[in-house]
C-alpha cells in the first residue's frame, strides 16, 4: 500500500499541467505535487499514475515517490481562485501525491544527451503501458540532480477505458516516432531483453496491490477490486512478451 498522508496546506496550482495539479504540504511535512480525483480526467488517470509509476520504479527507472493524500474539501473554502476551489471541493478523500522534485527542470533534448540504453528502456516502458504523453512537444521528463525522472503517466493504458475491448486495444502497435527520446537511437531490443523478464505475474501483483481500493470500486463488469487488479496485470503481462516487436517509428 502507498503511504497515506493528509493535506495541511494548498500552496499553489502548477499552471503548466492540463489537469491543474497543485503543490501542497502534508502532515508528514512533505511537499507534494497533488493530482485530484475531481479533475476532469477522473480517477482512472490516477490509477494509471500508480500502476505505471510503481512498475517503472521496479524496473529501475526513476519516478518520484507516490503517496495517497487525503483531502478535507473544507480546504477549498479559503481558496480565492474559482477553478481551484471547485477542484478542491470535488476531491474529498484520497488523491494522488508525488514527491516534489524541487528545482527540477524540464527535459530539453538539445541540452541533455541520453544514452541509447537509457532511451531504449524508457521507450520500451512507454510502449508497454501505451504512453501517448512523452512526445518532444510535451516530454513529461524532468532533469533533477543530473538524472532523468519520469512523470505524468495519466495518459496510458487506454484499454482501461474499455475493458470489454481491452485485449484488442492492447495488441495495437506503439508509434514512437514522436517520442521525446526517439532521436537518441533507443536500443529497444536491449531494453526488452533486460526488462521483459522482470515483468512477471508476481511483480504485477505487487504493483497492482498499490492501487487504492476506492479508485477501483464499482467498475462495471468486475466483481471486486482484486478482479480489476488482475485485469490490469494480465494486460501488461501479455503485452510485455511481444511489445518490442510492435514499436514503430524509430530506427
Ligand atoms: N514531481 C514533480 N516535481 C517537480 N515538478 C513537477 C512534478 N510533477 C509535475 N511537475 C511539474 O508540473 C507540470 C505538470 O505536471 P504533469 O505533467 O504531471 O500534469 P498534467 O496535468 O498531467 O499535465 P499535462 O498538461 O502534461 O497533461 C510538469 O510539467 C512539471 O513542470
Ligand atoms: Mg504533463
Amino acid at each position: 500500500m502507498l503511504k497515506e498522508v493528509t493535506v495541511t496546506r494548498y500552496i499553489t496550482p502548477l499552471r503548466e499541467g492540463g489537469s491543474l495539479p497543485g503543490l501542497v504540504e502534508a502532515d508528514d511535512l512533505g511537499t507534494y505535487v497533488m493530482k485530484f480525483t475531481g479533475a476532469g480526467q477522473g480517477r482512472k488517470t490516477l490509477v494509471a499514475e500508480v500502476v505505471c509509476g510503481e512498475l517503472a520504479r521496479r524496473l529501475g527507472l526513476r519516478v518520484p515517490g507516490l503517496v495517497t493524500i487525503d483531502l478535507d474539501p473544507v480546504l477549498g473554502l479559503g481558496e480565492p481562485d474559482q477553478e481551484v476551489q471547485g477542484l478542491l471541493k470535488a476531491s474529498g478523500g484520497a488523491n494522488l501525491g508525488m514527491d516534489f522534485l524541487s528545482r527540477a527542470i524540464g527535459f530539453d533534448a538539445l541540452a541533455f544527451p541520453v544514452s541509447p540504453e537509457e532511451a531504449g528502456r524508457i521507450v520500451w516502458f512507454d510502449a508497454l503501458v501505451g504512453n501517448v504523453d512523452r512526445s518532444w512537444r510535451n516530454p513529461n521528463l524532468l532533469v533533477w540532480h543530473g538524472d532523468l525522472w519520469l512523470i505524468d503517466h495519466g495518459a496510458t493504458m487506454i484499454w482501461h477505458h474499455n475493458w470489454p475491448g481491452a485485449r484488442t486495444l492492447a495488441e495495437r502497435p506503439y508509434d514512437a516516432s514522436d517520442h521525446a527520446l526517439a532521436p537518441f537511437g533507443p536500443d529497444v531490443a536491449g531494453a526488452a531483453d533486460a526488462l521483459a523478464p522482470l515483468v512477471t505475474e508476481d511483480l504485477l501483483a505487487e504493483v497492482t496491490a498499490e492501487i487504492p481500493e476506492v479508485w477501483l470500486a464499482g467498475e462495471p463488469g468486475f466483481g471486486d477490486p482484486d478482479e480489476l487488479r488482475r485485469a490490469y496485470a494480465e494486460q501488461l503481462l501479455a503485452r510485455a512478451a511481444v511489445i518490442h516487436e510492435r514499436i514503430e517509428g524509430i530506427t
Side-chain angles (χ1 to χ4, degrees), residues 14 16-19 21 33 35 64 99-101 138 140 142 151-152:
L14 289 170
E16 66 267 49
S19 68
V33 173
K35 295 207 164 180
D99 277 334
F100 176 59
L101 309 182
N138 182 16
N140 288 310
L142 298 178
I151 60 162
D152 197 358

Side-chain angles (χ1 to χ4, degrees), residues 26-204:
D27 59 350
D28 64 347
L29 304 182
T31 305
Y32 297 97
V33 173
M34 182 161 172
K35 295 207 164 180
F36 299 91
T37 42
Q41 295 87 338
R43 62 185 193 173
K44 281 193 182 173
T45 311
L46 307 188
V47 171
E49 293 272 9
V50 173
V51 172
C52 297
E54 292 305 315
L55 177 57
R57 190 190 327 287
R58 285 166 176 80
L59 297 179
L61 300 170
R62 289 177 214 90
V63 183
L66 300 179
V67 298
T68 53
I69 305 197
D70 192 62
L71 171 73
D72 181 345
V74 161
L75 221 68
L77 295 176
E79 192 45 55
D81 183 307
Q82 283 295 315
E83 202 183 351
V84 172
Q85 189 178 107
L87 199 55
L88 296 178
K89 282 186 182 163
S91 302
N95 296 270
L96 183 74
M98 192 180 311
D99 277 334
F100 176 59
L101 309 182
S102 179
R103 311 183 79 156
I105 52 169
F107 168 75
D108 174 352
L110 297 175
F112 190 88
V114 181
S115 71
E117 190 201 351
E118 184 169 23
R121 285 172 183 250
I122 294 173
V123 170
W124 184 83
F125 170 75
D126 284 331
L128 174 65
V129 298
N131 188 5
V132 296
D133 234 356
R134 195 108 59 209
S135 70
W136 53 268
R137 277 175 238 94
N138 182 16
N140 288 310
L141 293 167
L142 298 178
V143 177
W144 190 63
H145 290 208
D147 287 317
L148 265 189
W149 290 73
L150 276 51
I151 60 162
D152 197 358
H153 298 110
T156 58
M157 301 192 296
I158 188 169
W159 49 85
H160 73 159
H161 297 287
N162 176 16
W163 283 112
R167 198 35 71 90
T168 320
L169 284 172
E171 280 169 6
R172 285 207 192 147
Y174 181 74
D175 179 4
S177 52
D178 268 0
H179 197 284
L181 303 180
F184 296 96
D187 177 12
V188 289
D193 285 347
L195 301 184
L198 305 179
V199 184
T200 60
E201 219 174 308
D202 283 353
L203 186 88
L204 291 166

Side-chain angles (χ1 to χ4, degrees), residues 11-27:
I11 303 171
T12 184
L14 289 170
R15 293 278 170 197
E16 66 267 49
S19 68
L20 207 65
L23 195 62
V24 304
E25 222 168 69
D27 59 350

